[in-house]
Amino acid sequence: MKTAELIDITKDYLQPGTANSTRVLDHISLSITEGETIAITGPSGSGKTTLLNILGTLDQPTSGKVILGGKNVDQIDEKQLSRLRNRFTGFIFQLHLLLPQLTVLENVLLPVMPVGDKLFRKEAGLRAVELLERVGLKEHLSHYPAHLSVGECQRAAVVRALINKPKLLLADEPTGSLDARNASILAELLAELRESYDYSLVIVTHDSEVAKRMKTHYRLMNGKLTE
Ligand SMILES: Nc1ncnc2c1ncn2[C@@H]1O[C@H](COP(=O)(O)OP(=O)(O)OP(=O)(O)O)[C@@H](O)[C@H]1O
Ligand SMILES: [Mg+2]
């Protein structure tokens, strides 16, 4: 079973102030199998973030198809799409983007709020505590992000991305703001948690140590993706 698929994707951006457009993604296809781990590298501006955002339905391609969990995202309505995005995918960004006015525990539970199912929400509460303990944040559940280190915030962001048990975890340079040691801890954690959470992982990274831990390695350059 495939977790997600990109079929013949192109993405053009209009050049500001002109009628010209630039092609950032040039007929890209990518198939992600269950539990697969993928690293994507490529020069700055090559379209890695654009590709990841299209995969996570945060952005739309100019042409081509995006299939998530067997569903063509073009063929479902906005409500179904936001539900799919919330439940099926998890995102980790370069900067953790935790909300400063919420505690660590409240932050990681944010993606659970739109989920109607009461039992699921209760389970998520227990899962949040268990996961936060597992990533070494047991002492910080009720602390605010400002009182945590960047590495700790990034681990909390990993828990937030996993709280709805996504099948597809998308990470855009998640170790970009960390030192070598913390980058290694985070990469290790993403590999380790996959054992129990069973997600497919697509990670954009400049860090060859992080990339090496992934099964498949793609390079994005001149609009093309090569293995
Ligand atoms: N909303 C937008 N409008 C116009 N051009 C854009 C937009 N978003 C991105 N681009 C352009 O598309 C290209 C790819 O951007 P993208 O952010 O995907 O690159 P990237 O590979 O993630 O780079 P980096 O490694 O620096 O994060 C860049 O040239 C960028 O300027
Ligand atoms: Mg980027």
Side-chain angles (χ1 to χ4, degrees), residues 92-100 107 110 153-154 157 160:
I92 307 168
F93 303 95
Q94 178 170 2
L95 297 170
H96 56 78
L97 306 178
L98 298 177
L99 296 179
N107 262 290
L110 268 182
C153 285
Q154 199 59 323
R160 182 184 53 191

Side-chain angles (χ1 to χ4, degrees), residues 139-160:
E139 313 298 329
H140 298 292
L141 298 188
S142 55
H143 292 168
Y144 292 93
H147 299 147
L148 269 60
S149 72
V150 180
E152 286 166 342
C153 285
Q154 199 59 323
R155 279 181 268 148
V158 169
V159 174
R160 182 184 53 191

